[in-house]
Amino acid sequence: MKVSVIITTYNSEVWLEKVLWGYTIQTESDFEVVIADDGSTQKTKEVIDSFRKFFKHNIIHVWHADQGFRKPEIVNKAILQANSEYLLFTDGDCIPRKDFIETHIKHKEEGYFLSGGYFKLPINISNAIDKNNIINNKCFTYNWLFKNNLPKSFKIVKLTKSKIVAAFMNWVTTTKKTFNGHNTSVFKKDILEVNGFNEEMHYGGLDREIGERLFNAGILSKQIRYSAICLHLHHERSYAKPELIKKNLAIRSYNKKHNIIKIKNGIEKL
């Protein structure tokens, strides 16, 4: 298969269902879905099972018990179970446009990871999106969003369908080409080289940190922020704790200063 799509989730089965509908209508069908589940209840398993018939390859559900925020651990487990040599990381609150996977595959290149972005939605539109306007991709159109009371701003250009405009915006944007957990793809061998995600980290920069170690390993990044499009559904972040974010920043600062590539507490425990 061409890519393994690793989707993180935790007790957000309504949002996850919307996201999975987005993957059922992808223009590229040769991919597998790997759900990295950080301890959800049976409801999430039921949603996943209901979608198995829609995909060419079996959905892999990687789960561990709920012991608080342990995203790095469950994603590392998902990486090991993924069957493709190429991995696409995203979240269970990010609905992909129908050309999402095709775009990642088109731009993949040895020695690089791809840095994508998202278009953030308010809660009223997140709730309004349903199966029908995901399958027909209307929820990605300006008209549908404005009809559902999306405030007008320049950010809407992220949803451009023009490949020329998207390429130009990728070129001129001042946003850094970082590793984003909601929209990044990379070769599996490169992830294994840096020993995966750092399990010492909590929420707040853990995706950026693995990207920084990939840079230390000589892997570069390509900007596809305006080409690979997903809609980010609104949610609260009760797990964001200032003291742990501060600790994460210290880890990242140390790794940059000392050119760390392979951390000790990752996929392998060194």
Side-chain angles (χ1 to χ4, degrees), residues 5-221:
V5 183
I6 297 178
I7 304 172
T8 58
T9 193
Y10 172 70
N11 283 337
S12 299
E13 58 274 1
V14 176
W15 273 194
L16 180 62
E17 182 174 356
K18 297 185 184 194
V19 169
L20 290 175
W21 280 122
Y23 284 101
T24 65
I25 48 94
Q26 290 294 299
T27 53
E28 172 57 65
S29 64
D30 193 16
F31 66 93
E32 71 175 355
V33 171
V34 183
I35 306 292
D37 184 348
D38 196 15
S40 300
T41 65
Q42 179 69 16
K43 290 181 180 179
T44 291
K45 182 181 183 302
E46 291 170 1
V47 168
I48 294 169
D49 288 344
S50 72
F51 275 89
R52 293 188 184 279
K53 61 187 176 185
F54 293 106
F55 294 105
K56 180 176 181 179
H57 301 288
N58 185 40
I59 300 177
I60 299 173
H61 184 194
V62 186
W63 179 93
H64 62 194
D66 185 358
Q67 296 177 11
F69 183 93
R70 292 194 293 153
K71 176 181 173 179
E73 293 179 40
I74 198 62
V75 176
N76 281 341
K77 291 173 183 176
I79 289 167
L80 291 178
Q81 293 203 36
N83 292 299
S84 176
E85 65 172 15
Y86 198 66
L87 308 177
L88 197 171
F89 293 91
T90 186
D91 289 329
D93 54 21
C94 292
I95 302 174
R97 196 168 67 185
K98 63 182 180 181
D99 60 347
F100 186 69
I101 292 176
E102 178 186 351
T103 301
H104 272 273
I105 292 172
K106 175 184 175 182
H107 290 278
K108 78 173 184 176
E109 183 177 349
E110 286 277 1
Y112 290 83
F113 68 81
L114 305 182
S115 177
Y118 57 55
F119 186 79
K120 213 167 193 177
L121 298 177
I123 186 62
N124 62 305
I125 300 180
S126 299
N127 286 326
I129 290 177
D130 62 20
K131 172 185 173 182
N132 290 332
N133 46 58
I134 294 171
I135 288 178
N136 61 28
N137 258 221
K138 280 189 176 178
C139 58
F140 287 89
T141 64
Y142 302 158
N143 287 341
W144 188 90
L145 290 166
F146 292 144
K147 280 181 182 178
N148 283 273
N149 301 312
L150 178 76
K152 292 186 178 181
S153 81
F154 179 74
K155 290 182 179 180
I156 195 71
V157 75
K158 287 184 180 179
L159 300 181
T160 180
K161 294 180 180 179
S162 168
K163 293 182 180 180
I164 294 174
V165 172
F168 176 75
M169 293 302 298
N170 288 333
W171 180 57
V172 300
T173 182
T174 57
T175 302
K176 293 182 179 179
K177 297 175 283 188
T178 53
F179 193 108
N180 306 314
H182 53 266
N183 187 352
T184 289
S185 61
V186 62
F187 284 91
K188 185 175 182 178
K189 63 182 176 58
D190 295 333
I191 289 288
L192 296 177
E193 181 181 354
V194 300
N195 201 23
F197 286 78
N198 192 337
E199 296 182 10
E200 293 181 11
M201 298 186 72
H202 200 269
Y203 173 79
L206 64 93
D207 304 309
R208 298 286 181 90
E209 189 270 346
I210 192 172
E212 288 155 2
R213 284 186 286 113
L214 285 166
F215 289 143
N216 291 344
I219 304 300
L220 304 176
S221 61

Side-chain angles (χ1 to χ4, degrees), residues 199-251:
E199 296 182 10
E200 293 181 11
M201 298 186 72
H202 200 269
Y203 173 79
L206 64 93
D207 304 309
R208 298 286 181 90
E209 189 270 346
I210 192 172
E212 288 155 2
R213 284 186 286 113
L214 285 166
F215 289 143
N216 291 344
I219 304 300
L220 304 176
S221 61
K222 291 168 65 175
Q223 183 69 271
I224 59 167
R225 178 180 175 84
Y226 290 85
S227 302
I229 305 303
C230 60
L231 297 175
H232 184 272
L233 302 171
H234 177 83
H235 64 89
E236 302 299 331
R237 291 180 171 86
S238 59
Y239 43 76
K241 301 183 188 319
E243 67 276 13
L244 294 175
I245 292 175
K246 184 177 179 180
K247 177 185 173 184
N248 286 357
L249 287 171
I251 292 172

